Amino acid sequence: MNSPSNQLFDSYFTAPAMRAVFCDRGRVQGMLDFEAALARAEANVGLVPRDAVASIVAACNAELYDYAALAQAITSAGNSAIPLVKALGKRVAAQSSEAERYVHLGATSQDAMDSGLVLQLRAAVELLERDLAALGQALAVQAERYADTPLAGRTWLQQATPVTLGMKLAGVLGAVTRHRQRLAELKPRLFCLQFGGASGSLAALGEQAWPVVEALAGELQLNLPDQPWHTQRDRLVEFASLLGLIAGSLGKLGRDLSLLMQTEAGEVFEPSAPGKGGSSTMPHKRNPVSAAVLIGAATRAPGLVSTMFAAMPQEHERSLGLWHAEWETLPELCCLVSGALQQALLVVPGLEVDAARMRENLDLTQGLVLAEAVSIALAQRIGRDAAHHLVEQCCRQAVKEGAHLRAVLGANLEVTAQLSAAELDRLLDPAHYLGQARRWVDRALAEHQQISR
């Protein structure tokens, strides 16, 4: 029997815990949590009889509702809160007709939907923080482990001067640390109550409006905004932008890993596992299946972020269509990023590194990638222009003859008059031309440790 939902790719692109936050039950429970908190808050200020609260709160359980019926009703109602509040009212009325009068008192459908969404986002952010912290720690361990392991730096996809694998991983670690900082900074702005009633003025609650607002924010443990934000969506768009940044950084990790796994490089690999990365027709293949998720998420995320930006200029006090465009977009972003984080957490701790192949690849150009080191050393003795011209001639000769640059330099009397054999050996050793690579690793580790305290 065919599944009514689209589940084939979900486990590949989405973390199950994040999908649970944004499944139908999660959406419905978020709105019902708002309705239960509203009843309690209004009872606290004397607007709702206390004996009415129990019936309302008891009915605010997502397991009690028919999602298929709600979905059908949404096609006519235009949003999910309208049919849910009706269903909630009927369920409350079955227990107490008196209590039913106080369901959703003074609120509008968008209050329930937006505040419910914020409650979902709070759960989502907890998952993101947990996974980013775990990924940062895994990157820190690997950056330290390979801090002095040379590999070819690559610019414009061509070999450049040497770097270290630790330095490359420290770059990703630095990005993860900054994303953790950004997430901590935006939480006070994101976790804000939405409660404005029909047009944002809460006129329906009269003089009791502000006490209810304060009590409701307390019940939900949400911050009080300067005013309702029905059509001021910057909080959500800021969060969407951060999700796009996280996806992009993970995509960078996936892109580099997939390139290092190429047959022609063969330097770093995803951890192997039975059945992982195989081909349907080529037994020898070892495909970067986790990197594919990282790159895929980074490719899809910008379009979703742009939808959130496009939905910002919403009309007057309540929007038509632009608000609707957010409903699936932001949850999908959360799910995409969660899936990418899960794949990164599978890969980074178990990276398989071939340091010997890295050294072999560094010698593919037969010393040419270290021509800069020789040129700089010579420049201190014969001047920059003369040194550059001399080393350039030696490089051309090495290419023409298919010889190693060390041999050509060692046979050149102008060079050997300035540099000894020991000096040439050192200059053409990648391990001695790593610059500040170790410092960059140490700095990234220090930043990680600081935010992890």
Side-chain angles (χ1 to χ4, degrees):
M1 181 178 179
N2 292 330
S3 170
S5 57
N6 188 12
Q7 298 176 351
L8 284 177
F9 301 122
D10 220 40
S11 61
Y12 188 38
F13 289 110
T14 301
M18 189 66 78
R19 178 58 72 194
V21 171
F22 290 107
C23 68
D24 288 343
R25 185 194 179 284
R27 292 174 187 261
V28 170
Q29 191 60 60
M31 290 185 284
L32 291 173
D33 286 345
F34 168 83
E35 297 294 345
L38 178 61
R40 289 193 296 266
E42 292 177 334
N44 288 341
V45 302
L47 197 60
V48 169
R50 288 202 173 274
D51 58 6
V53 174
S55 296
I56 296 174
V57 171
C60 289
N61 180 348
E63 302 294 344
L64 302 175
Y65 295 88
D66 183 342
Y67 301 149
L70 288 174
Q72 184 61 37
I74 288 169
T75 63
S76 299
N79 69 52
S80 56
I82 291 173
L84 179 61
V85 170
K86 287 182 180 179
L88 172 62
K90 290 179 181 178
R91 188 164 289 276
V92 172
Q95 299 299 317
S96 169
S97 58
E98 174 68 15
E100 189 271 338
R101 294 165 50 192
Y102 301 103
V103 170
H104 197 64
L105 182 63
T108 192
S109 55
Q110 189 167 350
D111 292 334
M113 290 184 66
D114 279 350
S115 289
L117 172 63
V118 171
L119 297 178
Q120 289 178 279
L121 293 179
R122 185 163 62 190
V125 167
E126 289 180 5
L127 296 175
L128 293 173
E129 286 182 316
R130 181 198 68 191
D131 287 350
L132 284 169
L135 179 58
Q137 183 57 32
L139 286 164
V141 169
Q142 297 288 50
E144 174 65 32
R145 178 177 296 162
Y146 298 109
D148 302 311
T149 304
L151 82 162
R154 293 172 170 95
T155 62
W156 289 44
L157 294 177
Q158 308 297 308
Q159 281 201 12
T161 53
V163 294
T164 69
L165 179 57
M167 174 182 158
K168 184 181 284 285
L169 293 171
V172 184
L173 174 59
V176 168
T177 298
R178 291 188 295 277
H179 296 325
R180 293 174 68 190
Q181 292 168 337
R182 293 180 180 110
L183 196 53
E185 291 163 2
L186 72 78
K187 285 199 304 184
R189 294 187 291 274
L190 181 63
F191 300 156
C192 273
L193 175 70
Q194 172 77 289
F195 186 51
S199 297
S201 67
L202 284 175
L205 296 180
E207 294 302 316
Q208 295 284 66
W210 187 247
V212 170
V213 168
E214 291 182 312
L216 180 55
E219 288 284 342
L220 294 172
Q221 296 185 309
L222 295 176
N223 295 322
L224 272 174
D226 52 356
Q227 56 184 280
W229 42 277
H230 293 121
T231 50
Q232 298 293 343
R233 313 303 282 180
D234 55 286
R235 293 176 175 87
L236 300 184
V237 177
E238 180 184 15
F239 180 51
S241 300
L242 176 53
L243 292 171
L245 288 172
I246 295 171
S249 294
L250 295 175
K252 156 69 173 169
L253 171 63
R255 183 74 72 188
D256 281 359
L257 179 57
S258 65
L259 292 172
L260 293 172
M261 281 184 68
Q262 282 188 295
T263 305
E264 292 79 5
E267 296 175 348
V268 183
F269 299 88
E270 294 182 0
S272 59
K276 185 181 182 193
S279 165
S280 63
T281 182
M282 294 172 282
H284 70 283
K285 289 288 293 295
R286 185 173 177 181
N287 293 322
V289 295
S290 290
V293 173
L294 306 185
I295 297 168
T299 302
R300 294 170 63 187
L304 295 169
V305 175
S306 70
T307 296
M308 295 297 294
F309 272 102
M312 282 190 76
Q314 299 191 2
E315 315 88 345
H316 302 304
E317 281 64 56
R318 296 284 295 282
S319 176
L320 171 70
L322 297 178
W323 174 47
H324 298 65
E326 301 172 353
W327 295 351
E328 293 184 305
T329 303
L330 192 53
E332 186 62 19
L333 260 173
C334 290
C335 289
L336 270 179
V337 171
S338 74
L341 281 168
Q342 289 298 297
Q343 293 293 336
L345 285 168
L346 287 175
V347 167
V348 172
L351 285 175
E352 297 180 11
V353 177
D354 190 339
R357 182 67 178 269
M358 291 177 182
R359 290 301 295 257
E360 291 175 15
N361 288 343
L362 273 168
D363 205 38
L364 285 175
T365 63
Q366 299 196 84
L368 293 179
V369 294
L370 290 159
E372 179 189 75
V374 179
S375 181
I376 290 173
L378 279 173
Q380 296 171 12
R381 304 179 189 188
I382 64 175
R384 180 183 180 280
D385 287 345
H388 183 82
H389 180 67
L390 177 56
V391 174
E392 186 177 46
Q393 283 185 316
C394 290
C395 288
R396 288 177 178 172
Q397 181 182 346
V399 172
K400 182 178 180 180
E401 296 176 359
H404 198 285
L405 181 60
R406 173 66 180 83
V408 174
L409 291 169
N412 187 291
L413 296 179
E414 290 183 76
V415 173
T416 56
Q418 303 297 330
L419 298 173
S420 68
E423 287 176 308
L424 283 174
D425 287 341
R426 180 178 176 82
L427 288 169
L428 289 167
D429 182 351
H432 292 137
Y433 199 64
L434 298 175
Q436 299 297 306
R438 163 57 80 165
R439 184 185 297 272
W440 303 146
V441 172
D442 290 342
R443 287 176 64 84
L445 291 174
E447 289 286 329
H448 164 72
Q449 290 163 0
Q450 182 175 355
I451 198 173
S452 298
R453 287 174 188 158

